[in-house]
Amino acid sequence: MLTKYLITFLISMVPLVELRGAIVYAASQQLPLYIAFPVCILGNMIPVPFIFFFARRVLEWGADKPVIGKFFSWCLKKGHKGGEKLKAKAGNGLFLALLLFVGIPLPGTGAWTGTLAASILDMDFKTSVKAVVCGVLLAGIIMGALSYLGFGFLFNL
């Protein structure tokens, strides 16, 4: 049983899969939601400070390197350009925009991408983390409801 919780925790740390995939895995393994939910949130949030403080620095460091430079420069330019557009559209609602970006469970959105965007946008760390935590909670509620209702239905057939 402990192994299933460890796997759930580790899945929630994986980019792109994150909490969304971990909740589905937990539901498929019939783990209780009241335990799986905090495990997934914790696993999803552990990488956030590292992404916020180091991902941009890694991209800036690699921007002038021979093999990876073009790609890293492109990532920085694209992130900065997209961030400026988001700032212009969201205005004072940047916190809510980040929360919804992380919270709506669509491919390519989540804590990893949201935190990287916040870092590129030069958002305040505390504000970014609060928005990401709220977004992860929202995604967890949505995915938990869908997964546990869906698997509950399947297991009771």
Side-chain angles (χ1 to χ4, degrees), residues 54-75:
F54 299 115
R56 182 177 180 175
R57 290 181 184 174
V58 169
L59 290 173
E60 289 171 349
W61 167 83
D64 64 349
K65 302 297 182 249
V67 176
I68 57 175
K70 286 183 181 180
F71 176 70
F72 280 32
S73 294
W74 178 82
C75 288

Side-chain angles (χ1 to χ4, degrees), residues 47-63 72 75-76 111-120:
V48 166
F50 300 101
I51 296 164
F52 188 87
F53 290 115
F54 299 115
R56 182 177 180 175
R57 290 181 184 174
V58 169
L59 290 173
E60 289 171 349
W61 167 83
F72 280 32
C75 288
L76 282 168
W112 281 73
T113 311
T115 304
L116 182 58
S119 175
I120 289 174

